[in-house]
Amino acid sequence: MISIVHRSTADLHILDLKGQFRAPAEHTFWLAAQEAIVEQGVRRLILNFSEVTQIDSYGISELLKVYNALTNMDGQIILVGLNDLVAKVFRITKVEDLMQVVETEAEAIALLQPQVSTTSA
C-alpha cells in the first residue's frame, strides 16, 4: 500500500510517496494528485519516490493519469529519488523518456522555479 504526504512550497507541490505503489491501491495516489491538481490548482508537481520500495503496472498507470492531467493543463511533473528497482522499471517501461527525472528535490525545485529575466534595456 502507498501512503502519501502532500507538501507545498510557494506554488510548487510535492507528493512524498512511501511504500509499495501497486494494485490494489484503491486510487489513493490518483485521488491525492487530483485533489492537488483540480482543487488546489497545482500546475507544477514533484513526486518524491525516495521511500517507494516497489511499483507495478498499476502504479505506472496511475502515474500516467497524473502526467496526462497535468500536461493537458500546461503543467509540469518531475520525479525525484528513484531507487534502483523503480528506476529500472521506469527505464524498461520508458516512463523516464516521458517524464523528467532528477536525483534530488532541490534540483526539481530549481527546474520548476519561474525563470527571471536578467537582461536589461
PDB file of all heavy atoms in Angstrom, residues 26-65:
ATOM      1  N   GLU A  26      -6.441   1.306  -4.487  1.00  0.00           N
ATOM      2  CA  GLU A  26      -7.732   1.969  -4.375  1.00  0.00           C
ATOM      3  C   GLU A  26      -7.675   3.430  -4.796  1.00  0.00           C
ATOM      4  O   GLU A  26      -8.310   4.287  -4.207  1.00  0.00           O
ATOM      5  CB  GLU A  26      -8.273   1.833  -2.949  1.00  0.00           C
ATOM      6  CG  GLU A  26      -8.476   0.397  -2.537  1.00  0.00           C
ATOM      7  CD  GLU A  26      -8.736   0.246  -1.061  1.00  0.00           C
ATOM      8  OE1 GLU A  26      -8.847   1.246  -0.344  1.00  0.00           O
ATOM      9  OE2 GLU A  26      -8.805  -0.906  -0.619  1.00  0.00           O
ATOM     10  N   HIS A  27      -6.909   3.713  -5.797  1.00  0.00           N
ATOM     11  CA  HIS A  27      -6.792   5.054  -6.358  1.00  0.00           C
ATOM     12  C   HIS A  27      -6.278   6.102  -5.364  1.00  0.00           C
ATOM     13  O   HIS A  27      -6.530   7.285  -5.527  1.00  0.00           O
ATOM     14  CB  HIS A  27      -8.115   5.510  -6.971  1.00  0.00           C
ATOM     15  CG  HIS A  27      -8.603   4.606  -8.056  1.00  0.00           C
ATOM     16  ND1 HIS A  27      -7.972   4.509  -9.270  1.00  0.00           N
ATOM     17  CD2 HIS A  27      -9.653   3.755  -8.096  1.00  0.00           C
ATOM     18  CE1 HIS A  27      -8.618   3.633 -10.017  1.00  0.00           C
ATOM     19  NE2 HIS A  27      -9.626   3.161  -9.334  1.00  0.00           N
ATOM     20  N   THR A  28      -5.586   5.682  -4.317  1.00  0.00           N
ATOM     21  CA  THR A  28      -5.062   6.605  -3.319  1.00  0.00           C
ATOM     22  C   THR A  28      -4.204   7.678  -3.963  1.00  0.00           C
ATOM     23  O   THR A  28      -4.362   8.868  -3.676  1.00  0.00           O
ATOM     24  CB  THR A  28      -4.235   5.831  -2.269  1.00  0.00           C
ATOM     25  OG1 THR A  28      -5.054   4.827  -1.697  1.00  0.00           O
ATOM     26  CG2 THR A  28      -3.709   6.748  -1.198  1.00  0.00           C
ATOM     27  N   PHE A  29      -3.291   7.269  -4.829  1.00  0.00           N
ATOM     28  CA  PHE A  29      -2.396   8.221  -5.481  1.00  0.00           C
ATOM     29  C   PHE A  29      -3.172   9.164  -6.391  1.00  0.00           C
ATOM     30  O   PHE A  29      -3.003  10.371  -6.341  1.00  0.00           O
ATOM     31  CB  PHE A  29      -1.317   7.479  -6.279  1.00  0.00           C
ATOM     32  CG  PHE A  29      -0.456   8.383  -7.105  1.00  0.00           C
ATOM     33  CD1 PHE A  29       0.463   9.217  -6.503  1.00  0.00           C
ATOM     34  CD2 PHE A  29      -0.577   8.410  -8.483  1.00  0.00           C
ATOM     35  CE1 PHE A  29       1.251  10.066  -7.265  1.00  0.00           C
ATOM     36  CE2 PHE A  29       0.207   9.251  -9.248  1.00  0.00           C
ATOM     37  CZ  PHE A  29       1.130  10.082  -8.636  1.00  0.00           C
ATOM     38  N   TRP A  30      -4.026   8.615  -7.234  1.00  0.00           N
ATOM     39  CA  TRP A  30      -4.797   9.447  -8.160  1.00  0.00           C
ATOM     40  C   TRP A  30      -5.657  10.452  -7.403  1.00  0.00           C
ATOM     41  O   TRP A  30      -5.744  11.615  -7.769  1.00  0.00           O
ATOM     42  CB  TRP A  30      -5.640   8.584  -9.088  1.00  0.00           C
ATOM     43  CG  TRP A  30      -6.587   9.382  -9.925  1.00  0.00           C
ATOM     44  CD1 TRP A  30      -7.937   9.295  -9.913  1.00  0.00           C
ATOM     45  CD2 TRP A  30      -6.267  10.381 -10.897  1.00  0.00           C
ATOM     46  NE1 TRP A  30      -8.488  10.185 -10.815  1.00  0.00           N
ATOM     47  CE2 TRP A  30      -7.472  10.860 -11.425  1.00  0.00           C
ATOM     48  CE3 TRP A  30      -5.070  10.927 -11.354  1.00  0.00           C
ATOM     49  CZ2 TRP A  30      -7.530  11.856 -12.394  1.00  0.00           C
ATOM     50  CZ3 TRP A  30      -5.123  11.919 -12.324  1.00  0.00           C
ATOM     51  CH2 TRP A  30      -6.336  12.367 -12.834  1.00  0.00           C
ATOM     52  N   LEU A  31      -6.290  10.036  -6.317  1.00  0.00           N
ATOM     53  CA  LEU A  31      -7.139  10.937  -5.543  1.00  0.00           C
ATOM     54  C   LEU A  31      -6.318  12.063  -4.918  1.00  0.00           C
ATOM     55  O   LEU A  31      -6.740  13.221  -4.930  1.00  0.00           O
ATOM     56  CB  LEU A  31      -7.909  10.166  -4.470  1.00  0.00           C
ATOM     57  CG  LEU A  31      -8.959   9.180  -4.997  1.00  0.00           C
ATOM     58  CD1 LEU A  31      -9.559   8.371  -3.855  1.00  0.00           C
ATOM     59  CD2 LEU A  31     -10.040   9.901  -5.792  1.00  0.00           C
ATOM     60  N   ALA A  32      -5.148  11.747  -4.373  1.00  0.00           N
ATOM     61  CA  ALA A  32      -4.286  12.784  -3.789  1.00  0.00           C
ATOM     62  C   ALA A  32      -3.806  13.756  -4.852  1.00  0.00           C
ATOM     63  O   ALA A  32      -3.808  14.973  -4.653  1.00  0.00           O
ATOM     64  CB  ALA A  32      -3.089  12.149  -3.075  1.00  0.00           C
ATOM     65  N   ALA A  33      -3.406  13.233  -5.993  1.00  0.00           N
ATOM     66  CA  ALA A  33      -2.934  14.092  -7.084  1.00  0.00           C
ATOM     67  C   ALA A  33      -4.070  14.912  -7.659  1.00  0.00           C
ATOM     68  O   ALA A  33      -3.914  16.104  -7.946  1.00  0.00           O
ATOM     69  CB  ALA A  33      -2.275  13.245  -8.166  1.00  0.00           C
ATOM     70  N   GLN A  34      -5.226  14.292  -7.814  1.00  0.00           N
ATOM     71  CA  GLN A  34      -6.383  15.002  -8.347  1.00  0.00           C
ATOM     72  C   GLN A  34      -6.781  16.151  -7.426  1.00  0.00           C
ATOM     73  O   GLN A  34      -7.112  17.238  -7.885  1.00  0.00           O
ATOM     74  CB  GLN A  34      -7.544  14.033  -8.538  1.00  0.00           C
ATOM     75  CG  GLN A  34      -8.744  14.649  -9.219  1.00  0.00           C
ATOM     76  CD  GLN A  34      -9.844  13.631  -9.448  1.00  0.00           C
ATOM     77  OE1 GLN A  34      -9.959  12.655  -8.705  1.00  0.00           O
ATOM     78  NE2 GLN A  34     -10.650  13.858 -10.457  1.00  0.00           N
ATOM     79  N   GLU A  35      -6.722  15.930  -6.129  1.00  0.00           N
ATOM     80  CA  GLU A  35      -7.031  16.991  -5.175  1.00  0.00           C
ATOM     81  C   GLU A  35      -6.069  18.157  -5.366  1.00  0.00           C
ATOM     82  O   GLU A  35      -6.479  19.313  -5.415  1.00  0.00           O
ATOM     83  CB  GLU A  35      -6.946  16.474  -3.744  1.00  0.00           C
ATOM     84  CG  GLU A  35      -7.180  17.564  -2.717  1.00  0.00           C
ATOM     85  CD  GLU A  35      -6.999  17.077  -1.285  1.00  0.00           C
ATOM     86  OE1 GLU A  35      -7.084  15.868  -1.038  1.00  0.00           O
ATOM     87  OE2 GLU A  35      -6.767  17.934  -0.434  1.00  0.00           O
ATOM     88  N   ALA A  36      -4.795  17.852  -5.501  1.00  0.00           N
ATOM     89  CA  ALA A  36      -3.801  18.901  -5.690  1.00  0.00           C
ATOM     90  C   ALA A  36      -4.002  19.625  -7.021  1.00  0.00           C
ATOM     91  O   ALA A  36      -3.986  20.853  -7.086  1.00  0.00           O
ATOM     92  CB  ALA A  36      -2.392  18.316  -5.614  1.00  0.00           C
ATOM     93  N   ILE A  37      -4.214  18.861  -8.075  1.00  0.00           N
ATOM     94  CA  ILE A  37      -4.308  19.441  -9.420  1.00  0.00           C
ATOM     95  C   ILE A  37      -5.618  20.202  -9.612  1.00  0.00           C
ATOM     96  O   ILE A  37      -5.627  21.346 -10.051  1.00  0.00           O
ATOM     97  CB  ILE A  37      -4.169  18.346 -10.485  1.00  0.00           C
ATOM     98  CG1 ILE A  37      -2.766  17.748 -10.443  1.00  0.00           C
ATOM     99  CG2 ILE A  37      -4.468  18.898 -11.870  1.00  0.00           C
ATOM    100  CD1 ILE A  37      -2.631  16.447 -11.221  1.00  0.00           C
ATOM    101  N   VAL A  38      -6.717  19.574  -9.284  1.00  0.00           N
ATOM    102  CA  VAL A  38      -8.023  20.167  -9.560  1.00  0.00           C
ATOM    103  C   VAL A  38      -8.428  21.165  -8.480  1.00  0.00           C
ATOM    104  O   VAL A  38      -8.719  22.323  -8.764  1.00  0.00           O
ATOM    105  CB  VAL A  38      -9.105  19.068  -9.725  1.00  0.00           C
ATOM    106  CG1 VAL A  38     -10.470  19.679  -9.897  1.00  0.00           C
ATOM    107  CG2 VAL A  38      -8.752  18.165 -10.905  1.00  0.00           C
ATOM    108  N   GLU A  39      -8.429  20.734  -7.238  1.00  0.00           N
ATOM    109  CA  GLU A  39      -8.950  21.571  -6.168  1.00  0.00           C
ATOM    110  C   GLU A  39      -7.992  22.685  -5.757  1.00  0.00           C
ATOM    111  O   GLU A  39      -8.428  23.751  -5.352  1.00  0.00           O
ATOM    112  CB  GLU A  39      -9.323  20.714  -4.963  1.00  0.00           C
ATOM    113  CG  GLU A  39     -10.471  19.761  -5.287  1.00  0.00           C
ATOM    114  CD  GLU A  39     -10.768  18.795  -4.165  1.00  0.00           C
ATOM    115  OE1 GLU A  39     -10.356  19.046  -3.014  1.00  0.00           O
ATOM    116  OE2 GLU A  39     -11.429  17.782  -4.443  1.00  0.00           O
ATOM    117  N   GLN A  40      -6.685  22.433  -5.849  1.00  0.00           N
ATOM    118  CA  GLN A  40      -5.720  23.440  -5.420  1.00  0.00           C
ATOM    119  C   GLN A  40      -5.040  24.135  -6.597  1.00  0.00           C
ATOM    120  O   GLN A  40      -4.205  25.006  -6.399  1.00  0.00           O
ATOM    121  CB  GLN A  40      -4.679  22.811  -4.491  1.00  0.00           C
ATOM    122  CG  GLN A  40      -5.313  22.268  -3.223  1.00  0.00           C
ATOM    123  CD  GLN A  40      -4.303  21.619  -2.322  1.00  0.00           C
ATOM    124  OE1 GLN A  40      -3.114  21.859  -2.419  1.00  0.00           O
ATOM    125  NE2 GLN A  40      -4.771  20.777  -1.426  1.00  0.00           N
ATOM    126  N   GLY A  41      -5.366  23.750  -7.809  1.00  0.00           N
ATOM    127  CA  GLY A  41      -4.832  24.427  -8.982  1.00  0.00           C
ATOM    128  C   GLY A  41      -3.352  24.211  -9.239  1.00  0.00           C
ATOM    129  O   GLY A  41      -2.692  25.030  -9.875  1.00  0.00           O
ATOM    130  N   VAL A  42      -2.808  23.101  -8.777  1.00  0.00           N
ATOM    131  CA  VAL A  42      -1.384  22.817  -8.962  1.00  0.00           C
ATOM    132  C   VAL A  42      -1.067  22.646 -10.445  1.00  0.00           C
ATOM    133  O   VAL A  42      -1.792  21.972 -11.169  1.00  0.00           O
ATOM    134  CB  VAL A  42      -0.990  21.529  -8.201  1.00  0.00           C
ATOM    135  CG1 VAL A  42       0.406  21.071  -8.566  1.00  0.00           C
ATOM    136  CG2 VAL A  42      -1.121  21.753  -6.723  1.00  0.00           C
ATOM    137  N   ARG A  43       0.013  23.258 -10.881  1.00  0.00           N
ATOM    138  CA  ARG A  43       0.478  23.066 -12.256  1.00  0.00           C
ATOM    139  C   ARG A  43       1.930  22.596 -12.290  1.00  0.00           C
ATOM    140  O   ARG A  43       2.437  22.216 -13.321  1.00  0.00           O
ATOM    141  CB  ARG A  43       0.348  24.360 -13.075  1.00  0.00           C
ATOM    142  CG  ARG A  43      -1.077  24.824 -13.279  1.00  0.00           C
ATOM    143  CD  ARG A  43      -1.892  23.777 -14.037  1.00  0.00           C
ATOM    144  NE  ARG A  43      -3.294  24.140 -14.148  1.00  0.00           N
ATOM    145  CZ  ARG A  43      -4.248  23.737 -13.323  1.00  0.00           C
ATOM    146  NH1 ARG A  43      -3.965  22.952 -12.305  1.00  0.00           N
ATOM    147  NH2 ARG A  43      -5.492  24.101 -13.500  1.00  0.00           N
ATOM    148  N   ARG A  44       2.584  22.627 -11.139  1.00  0.00           N
ATOM    149  CA  ARG A  44       3.964  22.148 -11.043  1.00  0.00           C
ATOM    150  C   ARG A  44       4.054  21.202  -9.853  1.00  0.00           C
ATOM    151  O   ARG A  44       3.856  21.606  -8.723  1.00  0.00           O
ATOM    152  CB  ARG A  44       4.921  23.325 -10.915  1.00  0.00           C
ATOM    153  CG  ARG A  44       4.892  24.163 -12.200  1.00  0.00           C
ATOM    154  CD  ARG A  44       5.820  25.305 -12.188  1.00  0.00           C
ATOM    155  NE  ARG A  44       5.361  26.268 -11.202  1.00  0.00           N
ATOM    156  CZ  ARG A  44       6.104  27.246 -10.750  1.00  0.00           C
ATOM    157  NH1 ARG A  44       7.327  27.405 -11.172  1.00  0.00           N
ATOM    158  NH2 ARG A  44       5.634  28.093  -9.862  1.00  0.00           N
ATOM    159  N   LEU A  45       4.349  19.941 -10.169  1.00  0.00           N
ATOM    160  CA  LEU A  45       4.285  18.881  -9.168  1.00  0.00           C
ATOM    161  C   LEU A  45       5.587  18.088  -9.143  1.00  0.00           C
ATOM    162  O   LEU A  45       6.121  17.714 -10.183  1.00  0.00           O
ATOM    163  CB  LEU A  45       3.113  17.953  -9.505  1.00  0.00           C
ATOM    164  CG  LEU A  45       2.804  16.800  -8.564  1.00  0.00           C
ATOM    165  CD1 LEU A  45       2.374  17.317  -7.186  1.00  0.00           C
ATOM    166  CD2 LEU A  45       1.696  15.932  -9.153  1.00  0.00           C
ATOM    167  N   ILE A  46       6.064  17.841  -7.937  1.00  0.00           N
ATOM    168  CA  ILE A  46       7.237  16.992  -7.720  1.00  0.00           C
ATOM    169  C   ILE A  46       6.750  15.731  -7.020  1.00  0.00           C
ATOM    170  O   ILE A  46       6.039  15.809  -6.016  1.00  0.00           O
ATOM    171  CB  ILE A  46       8.296  17.711  -6.855  1.00  0.00           C
ATOM    172  CG1 ILE A  46       8.811  18.957  -7.571  1.00  0.00           C
ATOM    173  CG2 ILE A  46       9.435  16.752  -6.504  1.00  0.00           C
ATOM    174  CD1 ILE A  46       9.664  19.862  -6.694  1.00  0.00           C
ATOM    175  N   LEU A  47       7.126  14.590  -7.568  1.00  0.00           N
ATOM    176  CA  LEU A  47       6.809  13.313  -6.937  1.00  0.00           C
ATOM    177  C   LEU A  47       8.086  12.727  -6.368  1.00  0.00           C
ATOM    178  O   LEU A  47       9.022  12.423  -7.103  1.00  0.00           O
ATOM    179  CB  LEU A  47       6.191  12.345  -7.947  1.00  0.00           C
ATOM    180  CG  LEU A  47       4.872  12.798  -8.575  1.00  0.00           C
ATOM    181  CD1 LEU A  47       4.391  11.765  -9.575  1.00  0.00           C
ATOM    182  CD2 LEU A  47       3.822  13.043  -7.517  1.00  0.00           C
ATOM    183  N   ASN A  48       8.124  12.599  -5.058  1.00  0.00           N
ATOM    184  CA  ASN A  48       9.298  12.087  -4.365  1.00  0.00           C
ATOM    185  C   ASN A  48       9.129  10.585  -4.147  1.00  0.00           C
ATOM    186  O   ASN A  48       8.315  10.152  -3.346  1.00  0.00           O
ATOM    187  CB  ASN A  48       9.455  12.820  -3.029  1.00  0.00           C
ATOM    188  CG  ASN A  48      10.664  12.374  -2.259  1.00  0.00           C
ATOM    189  OD1 ASN A  48      11.315  11.395  -2.601  1.00  0.00           O
ATOM    190  ND2 ASN A  48      10.976  13.082  -1.206  1.00  0.00           N
ATOM    191  N   PHE A  49       9.933   9.808  -4.863  1.00  0.00           N
ATOM    192  CA  PHE A  49       9.876   8.348  -4.807  1.00  0.00           C
ATOM    193  C   PHE A  49      10.916   7.752  -3.860  1.00  0.00           C
ATOM    194  O   PHE A  49      11.134   6.550  -3.869  1.00  0.00           O
ATOM    195  CB  PHE A  49      10.119   7.769  -6.212  1.00  0.00           C
ATOM    196  CG  PHE A  49       8.893   7.744  -7.078  1.00  0.00           C
ATOM    197  CD1 PHE A  49       8.484   8.886  -7.750  1.00  0.00           C
ATOM    198  CD2 PHE A  49       8.157   6.585  -7.238  1.00  0.00           C
ATOM    199  CE1 PHE A  49       7.362   8.871  -8.558  1.00  0.00           C
ATOM    200  CE2 PHE A  49       7.025   6.561  -8.042  1.00  0.00           C
ATOM    201  CZ  PHE A  49       6.626   7.711  -8.705  1.00  0.00           C
ATOM    202  N   SER A  50      11.566   8.565  -3.044  1.00  0.00           N
ATOM    203  CA  SER A  50      12.691   8.064  -2.250  1.00  0.00           C
ATOM    204  C   SER A  50      12.320   6.946  -1.281  1.00  0.00           C
ATOM    205  O   SER A  50      13.183   6.168  -0.882  1.00  0.00           O
ATOM    206  CB  SER A  50      13.375   9.211  -1.496  1.00  0.00           C
ATOM    207  OG  SER A  50      12.486   9.804  -0.587  1.00  0.00           O
ATOM    208  N   GLU A  51      11.038   6.838  -0.913  1.00  0.00           N
ATOM    209  CA  GLU A  51      10.629   5.769   0.001  1.00  0.00           C
ATOM    210  C   GLU A  51       9.672   4.768  -0.654  1.00  0.00           C
ATOM    211  O   GLU A  51       8.963   4.042   0.027  1.00  0.00           O
ATOM    212  CB  GLU A  51      10.021   6.369   1.259  1.00  0.00           C
ATOM    213  CG  GLU A  51      11.052   7.163   2.067  1.00  0.00           C
ATOM    214  CD  GLU A  51      10.522   7.548   3.431  1.00  0.00           C
ATOM    215  OE1 GLU A  51      10.051   6.647   4.159  1.00  0.00           O
ATOM    216  OE2 GLU A  51      10.582   8.736   3.761  1.00  0.00           O
ATOM    217  N   VAL A  52       9.670   4.740  -1.986  1.00  0.00           N
ATOM    218  CA  VAL A  52       8.867   3.746  -2.699  1.00  0.00           C
ATOM    219  C   VAL A  52       9.731   2.508  -2.897  1.00  0.00           C
ATOM    220  O   VAL A  52      10.813   2.572  -3.464  1.00  0.00           O
ATOM    221  CB  VAL A  52       8.374   4.297  -4.061  1.00  0.00           C
ATOM    222  CG1 VAL A  52       7.707   3.201  -4.878  1.00  0.00           C
ATOM    223  CG2 VAL A  52       7.419   5.460  -3.836  1.00  0.00           C
ATOM    224  N   THR A  53       9.240   1.381  -2.413  1.00  0.00           N
ATOM    225  CA  THR A  53      10.029   0.148  -2.478  1.00  0.00           C
ATOM    226  C   THR A  53       9.688  -0.708  -3.684  1.00  0.00           C
ATOM    227  O   THR A  53      10.462  -1.580  -4.062  1.00  0.00           O
ATOM    228  CB  THR A  53       9.809  -0.687  -1.203  1.00  0.00           C
ATOM    229  OG1 THR A  53       8.405  -0.965  -1.057  1.00  0.00           O
ATOM    230  CG2 THR A  53      10.324   0.057   0.025  1.00  0.00           C
ATOM    231  N   GLN A  54       8.514  -0.469  -4.286  1.00  0.00           N
ATOM    232  CA  GLN A  54       8.085  -1.299  -5.405  1.00  0.00           C
ATOM    233  C   GLN A  54       7.033  -0.542  -6.210  1.00  0.00           C
ATOM    234  O   GLN A  54       6.247   0.220  -5.653  1.00  0.00           O
ATOM    235  CB  GLN A  54       7.486  -2.592  -4.867  1.00  0.00           C
ATOM    236  CG  GLN A  54       7.089  -3.591  -5.903  1.00  0.00           C
ATOM    237  CD  GLN A  54       6.509  -4.856  -5.277  1.00  0.00           C
ATOM    238  OE1 GLN A  54       6.137  -4.885  -4.111  1.00  0.00           O
ATOM    239  NE2 GLN A  54       6.425  -5.914  -6.054  1.00  0.00           N
ATOM    240  N   ILE A  55       7.026  -0.744  -7.529  1.00  0.00           N
ATOM    241  CA  ILE A  55       5.987  -0.186  -8.389  1.00  0.00           C
ATOM    242  C   ILE A  55       5.639  -1.231  -9.445  1.00  0.00           C
ATOM    243  O   ILE A  55       6.517  -1.955  -9.919  1.00  0.00           O
ATOM    244  CB  ILE A  55       6.414   1.145  -9.030  1.00  0.00           C
ATOM    245  CG1 ILE A  55       5.220   1.809  -9.748  1.00  0.00           C
ATOM    246  CG2 ILE A  55       7.616   0.979  -9.940  1.00  0.00           C
ATOM    247  CD1 ILE A  55       5.446   3.267 -10.096  1.00  0.00           C
ATOM    248  N   ASP A  56       4.354  -1.338  -9.772  1.00  0.00           N
ATOM    249  CA  ASP A  56       3.926  -2.278 -10.804  1.00  0.00           C
ATOM    250  C   ASP A  56       3.168  -1.521 -11.890  1.00  0.00           C
ATOM    251  O   ASP A  56       3.127  -0.288 -11.898  1.00  0.00           O
ATOM    252  CB  ASP A  56       3.094  -3.421 -10.207  1.00  0.00           C
ATOM    253  CG  ASP A  56       1.744  -2.990  -9.655  1.00  0.00           C
ATOM    254  OD1 ASP A  56       1.384  -1.794  -9.773  1.00  0.00           O
ATOM    255  OD2 ASP A  56       1.034  -3.851  -9.107  1.00  0.00           O
ATOM    256  N   SER A  57       2.560  -2.251 -12.808  1.00  0.00           N
ATOM    257  CA  SER A  57       1.862  -1.628 -13.926  1.00  0.00           C
ATOM    258  C   SER A  57       0.701  -0.759 -13.453  1.00  0.00           C
ATOM    259  O   SER A  57       0.399   0.269 -14.054  1.00  0.00           O
ATOM    260  CB  SER A  57       1.364  -2.683 -14.915  1.00  0.00           C
ATOM    261  OG  SER A  57       0.478  -3.579 -14.280  1.00  0.00           O
ATOM    262  N   TYR A  58       0.070  -1.147 -12.358  1.00  0.00           N
ATOM    263  CA  TYR A  58      -0.998  -0.321 -11.802  1.00  0.00           C
ATOM    264  C   TYR A  58      -0.450   1.038 -11.372  1.00  0.00           C
ATOM    265  O   TYR A  58      -1.038   2.081 -11.673  1.00  0.00           O
ATOM    266  CB  TYR A  58      -1.653  -1.026 -10.607  1.00  0.00           C
ATOM    267  CG  TYR A  58      -2.680  -0.151  -9.932  1.00  0.00           C
ATOM    268  CD1 TYR A  58      -3.977  -0.096 -10.404  1.00  0.00           C
ATOM    269  CD2 TYR A  58      -2.334   0.635  -8.842  1.00  0.00           C
ATOM    270  CE1 TYR A  58      -4.919   0.727  -9.810  1.00  0.00           C
ATOM    271  CE2 TYR A  58      -3.260   1.461  -8.240  1.00  0.00           C
ATOM    272  CZ  TYR A  58      -4.547   1.508  -8.727  1.00  0.00           C
ATOM    273  OH  TYR A  58      -5.463   2.328  -8.134  1.00  0.00           O
ATOM    274  N   GLY A  59       0.670   1.029 -10.664  1.00  0.00           N
ATOM    275  CA  GLY A  59       1.292   2.280 -10.216  1.00  0.00           C
ATOM    276  C   GLY A  59       1.696   3.153 -11.393  1.00  0.00           C
ATOM    277  O   GLY A  59       1.510   4.369 -11.373  1.00  0.00           O
ATOM    278  N   ILE A  60       2.236   2.531 -12.416  1.00  0.00           N
ATOM    279  CA  ILE A  60       2.624   3.282 -13.613  1.00  0.00           C
ATOM    280  C   ILE A  60       1.391   3.870 -14.284  1.00  0.00           C
ATOM    281  O   ILE A  60       1.396   5.031 -14.709  1.00  0.00           O
ATOM    282  CB  ILE A  60       3.433   2.390 -14.573  1.00  0.00           C
ATOM    283  CG1 ILE A  60       4.793   2.084 -13.940  1.00  0.00           C
ATOM    284  CG2 ILE A  60       3.602   3.075 -15.935  1.00  0.00           C
ATOM    285  CD1 ILE A  60       5.595   1.043 -14.647  1.00  0.00           C
ATOM    286  N   SER A  61       0.318   3.112 -14.349  1.00  0.00           N
ATOM    287  CA  SER A  61      -0.932   3.608 -14.926  1.00  0.00           C
ATOM    288  C   SER A  61      -1.442   4.831 -14.164  1.00  0.00           C
ATOM    289  O   SER A  61      -1.856   5.832 -14.765  1.00  0.00           O
ATOM    290  CB  SER A  61      -1.982   2.496 -14.907  1.00  0.00           C
ATOM    291  OG  SER A  61      -3.226   2.977 -15.310  1.00  0.00           O
ATOM    292  N   GLU A  62      -1.414   4.776 -12.848  1.00  0.00           N
ATOM    293  CA  GLU A  62      -1.844   5.907 -12.027  1.00  0.00           C
ATOM    294  C   GLU A  62      -0.934   7.117 -12.257  1.00  0.00           C
ATOM    295  O   GLU A  62      -1.404   8.250 -12.365  1.00  0.00           O
ATOM    296  CB  GLU A  62      -1.843   5.526 -10.547  1.00  0.00           C
ATOM    297  CG  GLU A  62      -2.888   4.498 -10.184  1.00  0.00           C
ATOM    298  CD  GLU A  62      -4.304   5.044 -10.277  1.00  0.00           C
ATOM    299  OE1 GLU A  62      -4.688   5.862  -9.418  1.00  0.00           O
ATOM    300  OE2 GLU A  62      -5.023   4.663 -11.216  1.00  0.00           O
ATOM    301  N   LEU A  63       0.355   6.868 -12.355  1.00  0.00           N
ATOM    302  CA  LEU A  63       1.321   7.929 -12.616  1.00  0.00           C
ATOM    303  C   LEU A  63       1.055   8.591 -13.966  1.00  0.00           C
ATOM    304  O   LEU A  63       1.087   9.821 -14.096  1.00  0.00           O
ATOM    305  CB  LEU A  63       2.736   7.354 -12.562  1.00  0.00           C
ATOM    306  CG  LEU A  63       3.894   8.303 -12.793  1.00  0.00           C
ATOM    307  CD1 LEU A  63       3.907   9.421 -11.771  1.00  0.00           C
ATOM    308  CD2 LEU A  63       5.205   7.525 -12.743  1.00  0.00           C
ATOM    309  N   LEU A  64       0.756   7.793 -14.972  1.00  0.00           N
ATOM    310  CA  LEU A  64       0.476   8.331 -16.304  1.00  0.00           C
ATOM    311  C   LEU A  64      -0.816   9.145 -16.330  1.00  0.00           C
ATOM    312  O   LEU A  64      -0.912  10.136 -17.061  1.00  0.00           O
ATOM    313  CB  LEU A  64       0.436   7.210 -17.337  1.00  0.00           C
ATOM    314  CG  LEU A  64       1.787   6.557 -17.617  1.00  0.00           C
ATOM    315  CD1 LEU A  64       1.617   5.359 -18.535  1.00  0.00           C
ATOM    316  CD2 LEU A  64       2.779   7.546 -18.178  1.00  0.00           C
ATOM    317  N   LYS A  65      -1.801   8.780 -15.528  1.00  0.00           N
ATOM    318  CA  LYS A  65      -3.027   9.580 -15.423  1.00  0.00           C
ATOM    319  C   LYS A  65      -2.696  10.986 -14.931  1.00  0.00           C
ATOM    320  O   LYS A  65      -3.206  11.976 -15.454  1.00  0.00           O
ATOM    321  CB  LYS A  65      -4.019   8.945 -14.438  1.00  0.00           C
ATOM    322  CG  LYS A  65      -4.804   7.800 -14.956  1.00  0.00           C
ATOM    323  CD  LYS A  65      -5.844   7.474 -13.891  1.00  0.00           C
ATOM    324  CE  LYS A  65      -6.242   6.043 -13.894  1.00  0.00           C
ATOM    325  NZ  LYS A  65      -7.160   5.721 -12.802  1.00  0.00           N
TER     326      LYS A  65
END
